[in-house]
Structures are given as C-alpha cells and as structure tokens.
Amino acid sequence: MGTKGKAIVGVDVDKLLNMLNKAYADEWLAYYQYWVGSQVACGRMRGIVAGELMEHANEELQHAQMLTERIITLGGTPLLTPQDLLKETNCGYDAPKDPNTKTLLKQNIKGEQCAIETYRKLLDFVKDKDPITYRIVLEILEDEVEHEEDLESLLSDMS
Ligand code: FE
Ligand code: FE
Ligand code: MG
C-alpha cells in the first residue's frame, strides 16, 4: 500500500488484517451455505426461499470482494485455501443437511446474527481510526441487517 495511505491508518494494521481475513472467511462460507442451500431447498415456499437464498449468496460474494480489495490495499493477502477459511471463520459453516425451507431459514438467520456481531466489532475497532475500512464495513453491515430481516420475514410468513 502507499506510504501515506498506510500512515493514516490509526490501528495496528496486522490486527486489522487478521480481523478482515476472518470476516473474509465468513463471507465465503456464507456464500456457499446460501448457494448450496438454494439448490437443495424443498418444502413450503420453496421457489421464494430459494430465490432469496441465491440473492443473498451473490451479495455475500460481493462482500468477500470488498474485503479482499481492502486486505490487498493494506498490504495483506486474502486466505488462499479452503482449509484456512474453515480455520479462521468466526461464524462457522452450517451444512444444509436438512433441506426443509424452514430449517434453512433458521440456519441462515443464525449466520446473519453472527455476521452482524462480527461487523459491529470491526466497526468499533476502526471507528475514528480508519475511515476507509469503516465505510466498507458499514456498507456490509447494512446488508447483513437487511439479510436478517428478509429471512425473519419469510420465516414469519410461514407460521
Ligand atoms: Fe456478508
Ligand atoms: Fe448476509
Ligand atoms: Mg434479501
């Protein structure tokens, strides 16, 4: 990264890179959990739920893109192996072994709640210290809050 661009970052850059890479791991696993969930979904409101899961999958992939751009700009390297994604994740991976739409929604709501918590912490870490990362994380957090709401609404439509 450019010398001055790095100098204006007021937090420990290695610590920040570690947090960004952990969030990056979460995004890839969320992407896959949504994507494969969308493929196998069955039961009530299958078409609507599968469509929403696929939309979220694409948005999680965008988040991974936004994080990796910041990681590289800060002089880091995004995690390079699937093994590292599983090792570094905060929120884990919940395989959609039960493809029932209601179960899928509940699993993914849990994932979104973990994501919201993760980005809340990242936002606190960079607040007033790194406005560029702050803006990126805030944008992602807004999406995660919307994701949670979308899934909770679908779940309540079912009961
Ligand atoms: Fe995300
Ligand atoms: Fe999300
Ligand atoms: Mg949505």
Side-chain angles (χ1 to χ4, degrees):
M1 160 181 217
T3 319
K4 189 67 178 170
K6 196 162 182 168
I8 62 164
V9 175
V11 293
D12 178 345
V13 174
D14 287 337
K15 168 75 182 149
L16 176 58
L17 282 168
N18 182 260
M19 291 170 87
L20 291 172
N21 250 324
K22 284 179 164 294
Y24 174 79
D26 293 334
E27 292 295 351
W28 267 107
L29 296 177
Y31 166 75
Y32 191 68
Q33 189 176 311
Y34 271 126
W35 185 89
V36 80
S38 162
Q39 309 302 315
V40 299
C42 64
R44 290 171 67 191
M45 294 169 63
R46 188 195 64 81
I48 294 165
V49 171
E52 191 68 38
L53 298 183
M54 187 49 84
E55 240 178 58
H56 288 197
N58 290 327
E59 285 163 6
E60 308 306 5
L61 195 55
Q62 274 177 33
H63 296 163
Q65 176 82 49
M66 290 160 76
L67 291 168
T68 195
E69 282 170 11
R70 188 62 183 149
I71 288 167
I72 288 167
T73 302
L74 287 167
T77 308
L79 300 174
L80 297 175
T81 71
Q83 290 80 1
D84 283 343
L85 299 179
L86 286 167
K87 202 176 93 199
E88 296 297 325
T89 177
N90 304 293
C91 298
Y93 179 76
D94 216 355
K97 288 175 183 162
D98 173 3
N100 185 274
T101 46
K102 211 166 175 174
T103 312
L104 293 179
L105 288 173
K106 284 180 186 163
Q107 276 179 330
N108 287 303
I109 287 167
K110 203 177 86 199
E112 291 298 343
Q113 289 172 346
C114 180
I116 290 168
E117 191 61 38
T118 297
Y119 288 116
R120 174 74 237 173
K121 284 181 188 153
L122 245 168
L123 214 52
D124 280 346
F125 185 69
V126 295
K127 190 175 190 302
D128 301 324
K129 302 276 170 59
D130 177 0
I132 297 172
T133 302
Y134 188 90
R135 181 180 48 76
I136 292 165
V137 172
L138 181 59
E139 197 181 323
I140 298 175
L141 179 60
E142 284 174 12
D143 285 348
E144 310 304 13
V145 167
E146 195 183 303
H147 287 171
E148 184 202 33
E149 214 282 308
D150 290 344
L151 301 181
E152 285 183 346
S153 293
L154 282 174
L155 190 60
S156 86
D157 287 348
M158 282 185 186
S159 45

